[in-house]
Amino acid sequence: MYKGGQQPTIKGAQPKKEADVVVLQGPYPYRLSFYDRPPLYDVTIEDFETFALDRLRILAEIEASYARNRSWDELRTVTEAQCKKYDLWLSSNTARSQFIDLERKKDHLSHFVLRLAFCRSEELRRRFVKAETTLFRVRYEKDDTKELTQFLSSQDFGWEKVDPPEKATYESELRALLPNVGDKEFKDIVFYKVKWTRVPDLVAKRRVFLRRGQAFVPTTLQASIVFHAFETQLEKALERTAKGLPRLDEDTRIVPILNNLSQGFLAGVPSEWTNATPTMDGELRAEMVDGLAKKHFPMCMRNLHESLMRDHHLKHFGRLQYGLFLKVLGLSIEEAVAFWRKSFSSITDDKFNKEYKYNIRHSYGLEGKRANYPAKSCQQILLSDQPGPSDCHGCPYRHFAPDNLQTSLLTYYSNQGLTSSNLPEIMKTVKEGHYHVACTRVFEITHTSKGVEKGQGIGSGESVTHPNQYAARSRELEKPQEGGTSSDTAMVVG
């Protein structure tokens, strides 16, 4: 189905004509799509992966919005912002853009790649269908009215328009569905008949008139038929895809990508913050770390820091997780050696140089294969190197016992505004497995004094996906209040 190779040249949108409805020629005539035709062209492995990751970031934010009980207006605003950020906010046919076909090609391909990744289990299919249907609904509500009508006309929804005599026969029943509509408006409203199983949500809410297995649906509720059709069609498509998936098992290029996509979605954190540039103004010094930890670190790094200060030691995976975080934060190799040497105060210089200094230099790409290792993302922390009973690394929201997590939250963040009244909300999201949502909510609570409101996340409603992203945004919010000198420099590693 997908093969690596040279990507074909995609023609731009056809010239626009002055008309009430503009219908583009080619494979993507409409902004909306039911994705009923798979991509049959060659694509590069790079596009195969990057297009899917961009779409996955949007779907993950939709899931996070549900977990945070955002209103529909808030969810729609966040989704629109994410679509624009990742170039999946599709232009209408009347837009003066020469990249309409390219936009829609990315949308088309990314959907089918994720369909391959998420057809593997019932849970993945359920979550994918819910997120994709939500994305479709957001686009549906923002689509141009005339273009939307043209799109609906191109689909077969199995509905039958109610003729005037039949409408008159059941006028009293149909009027009861629209109690606030006047006589003139009622005459203009069109009703459609569909099998009642096509609109289960409307039946449950008693918003349709039922007769002989048919539901009479007013135009104002027509979208419910469309959304249910999209959802049902996608569910069936995923089941068909799952049956054909074993054919890909021997493809060593594609299977690892699909595994990574599905694992990230299960963890709830598919996106990775990849800004590897130092986030400090100037070089971060060893003596500044303690002050930064108490003000700007997410709980995973705060826990590692406090354990290091208490025990004067961290095990291998703890040192790796914390050391790479500090590296990206801006700690140079010289300052890193100084920081770790002072932190490991209970051992001799000879033991430190023999057993630990090499690993520090290795993480900076100065020893071994000299690779420039990035800091671990939330996805990596959640899924790899699971901590044992005496380990300090990992994600506290996932790996701590509930009582220990609540105690630690109050210990670390009570001086930043977090109180026991906040814990039920945080623990609810933890229990549901939305660990990055819990971390994001802690960020909001502890940065209320900096102007961060509930639902805002780290900016534009976005959730935390990387410890360094958390620290960078926290530091950024404080900058306007710092004036000339930051108070962080006054704190010294104990």
Side-chain angles (χ1 to χ4, degrees):
M1 179 176 176
Y2 298 98
K3 298 180 288 183
Q6 183 65 35
Q7 182 177 346
T9 302
I10 305 299
K11 297 180 180 180
Q14 298 297 315
K16 309 284 190 301
K17 297 180 180 180
E18 295 296 330
D20 290 339
V21 178
V22 178
V23 180
L24 299 183
Q25 303 300 317
Y28 313 112
Y30 307 106
R31 185 186 186 194
L32 296 174
S33 174
F34 267 45
Y35 306 103
D36 46 6
R37 296 182 180 180
L40 300 177
Y41 42 79
D42 289 352
V43 299
T44 64
I45 290 295
E46 181 182 4
D47 284 352
F48 184 92
E49 182 175 18
T50 56
F51 287 6
L53 280 172
D54 283 349
R55 190 184 196 89
L56 188 54
R57 292 179 176 111
I58 296 169
L59 300 187
E61 207 56 57
I62 289 174
E63 273 211 330
S65 293
Y66 281 119
R68 302 178 72 174
N69 295 316
R70 284 178 172 142
S71 67
W72 174 252
D73 288 341
E74 291 172 332
L75 184 152
R76 181 173 55 200
T77 299
V78 169
T79 303
E80 289 174 1
Q82 291 292 296
C83 287
K84 291 173 182 175
K85 179 177 180 180
Y86 296 111
D87 296 325
L88 280 167
W89 183 248
L90 308 181
S91 303
S92 65
N93 290 354
T94 55
R96 294 178 178 272
S97 171
Q98 297 186 7
F99 303 103
I100 290 180
D101 274 359
L102 290 172
E103 293 172 353
R104 296 180 184 181
K105 180 191 176 185
K106 178 177 180 179
D107 175 68
H108 186 230
L109 176 59
S110 63
H111 171 88
F112 275 91
V113 176
L114 293 189
R115 189 183 286 189
L116 284 172
F118 301 141
C119 67
R120 302 174 169 210
S121 71
E122 184 177 348
E123 180 187 2
L124 281 171
R125 290 195 293 269
R126 175 184 57 79
R127 291 170 60 177
F128 180 64
V129 168
K130 182 177 180 180
E132 278 285 341
T133 303
T134 301
L135 177 60
F136 179 85
R137 180 182 170 186
V138 169
R139 290 172 169 173
Y140 182 96
E141 292 185 355
K142 295 293 288 187
D143 204 10
D144 179 84
T145 303
K146 294 178 180 178
E147 290 183 28
L148 178 59
T149 301
Q150 191 75 15
F151 168 74
L152 296 179
S153 299
S154 70
Q155 304 292 319
D156 181 13
F157 293 103
W159 57 40
E160 178 185 346
K161 187 175 179 180
V162 177
D163 56 34
E166 190 172 17
K167 181 179 178 182
T169 301
Y170 303 112
E171 181 173 348
S172 60
E173 290 87 349
L174 298 178
R175 278 186 176 276
L177 302 174
L178 307 165
N180 299 321
V181 174
D183 293 342
K184 184 178 180 180
E185 291 83 358
F186 180 79
K187 291 180 181 179
D188 295 333
I189 292 178
V190 177
F191 287 82
Y192 296 90
K193 288 191 298 185
V194 294
K195 192 175 181 180
W196 72 271
T197 54
R198 302 287 299 275
V199 284
D201 56 329
L202 298 182
V203 173
K205 297 175 182 178
R206 300 187 178 184
R207 302 190 67 184
V208 292
F209 169 58
L210 297 179
R211 179 170 175 78
R212 296 181 178 178
Q214 296 288 100
F216 288 62
V217 183
T219 308
T220 52
L221 300 177
Q222 186 182 35
S224 181
I225 304 174
V226 180
F227 300 153
H228 185 262
F230 179 89
E231 183 176 323
T232 302
Q233 185 168 314
L234 182 54
E235 288 172 348
K236 293 179 180 178
L238 285 167
E239 292 173 359
R240 291 195 300 269
T241 304
K243 293 178 181 178
L245 191 63
R247 302 175 189 175
L248 290 176
D249 285 346
E250 296 181 1
D251 194 318
T252 57
R253 302 165 302 166
I254 294 178
V255 172
I257 296 174
L258 299 179
N259 288 337
N260 181 59
L261 291 169
S262 59
Q263 288 175 3
F265 199 51
L266 284 172
V269 193
S271 60
E272 296 186 7
W273 186 79
T274 55
N275 182 6
T277 58
T279 58
M280 299 292 297
D281 294 330
E283 184 180 357
L284 171 62
R285 299 188 300 279
E287 63 267 20
M288 297 168 60
V289 174
D290 193 56
L292 288 173
K294 289 178 167 61
K295 297 169 64 177
H296 303 301
F297 284 11
M299 193 170 179
C300 55
M301 299 305 164
R302 181 72 184 273
N303 179 62
L304 285 166
H305 180 79
E306 297 297 336
S307 298
L308 178 61
M309 295 300 100
R310 181 187 67 241
D311 303 331
H312 303 290
H313 186 266
L314 284 177
K315 289 187 175 181
H316 171 72
F317 288 119
R319 296 196 306 272
L320 182 63
Q321 181 175 321
Y322 193 39
L324 292 174
F325 168 81
L326 293 176
K327 169 189 169 184
V328 173
L329 196 65
L331 197 67
S332 67
I333 178 60
E334 294 80 10
E335 292 294 326
V337 171
F339 170 78
W340 288 104
R341 178 64 194 100
K342 190 166 187 177
S343 299
F344 281 31
S345 58
S346 59
I347 65 174
T348 64
D349 287 342
D350 185 58
K351 181 178 177 66
F352 177 82
N353 290 333
K354 287 182 177 179
E355 298 183 14
Y356 300 104
K357 190 173 181 179
Y358 175 89
N359 287 334
I360 298 171
R361 290 176 53 81
H362 188 276
S363 66
Y364 277 75
L366 300 176
E367 301 289 354
K369 62 180 182 180
R370 300 182 182 276
N372 184 22
Y373 296 98
K376 291 184 177 293
S377 67
C378 292
Q379 177 181 332
Q380 292 171 313
I381 292 171
L382 284 166
L383 298 177
S384 62
D385 305 324
Q386 299 300 296
S390 60
D391 288 323
C392 299
H393 68 281
C395 173
Y397 298 101
R398 179 180 185 182
H399 300 123
F400 277 20
D403 290 344
N404 186 19
L405 175 59
Q406 294 181 77
T407 300
S408 299
L409 281 168
L410 292 174
T411 301
Y412 295 156
Y413 297 111
S414 59
N415 64 336
Q416 292 179 264
L418 188 143
T419 66
S420 57
S421 63
N422 302 126
L423 295 179
E425 178 187 5
I426 295 170
M427 297 307 296
K428 180 177 182 294
T429 57
V430 170
K431 185 177 180 180
E432 294 171 349
H434 301 293
Y435 309 112
H436 69 306
V437 174
C439 185
T440 304
R441 183 67 188 121
V442 170
F443 180 91
E444 292 172 345
I445 294 168
T446 56
H447 292 80
T448 301
S449 61
K450 306 296 190 298
V452 177
E453 300 177 355
K454 184 175 182 178
Q456 188 175 340
I458 59 169
S460 302
E462 201 168 342
S463 301
V464 174
T465 59
H466 199 295
N468 284 92
Q469 176 195 36
Y470 183 114
R473 180 57 178 156
S474 177
R475 180 68 173 169
E476 181 183 339
L477 288 169
E478 187 177 83
K479 283 181 181 178
Q481 303 180 17
E482 289 181 348
T485 305
S486 170
S487 59
D488 296 335
T489 58
M491 305 301 293
V492 180
V493 176

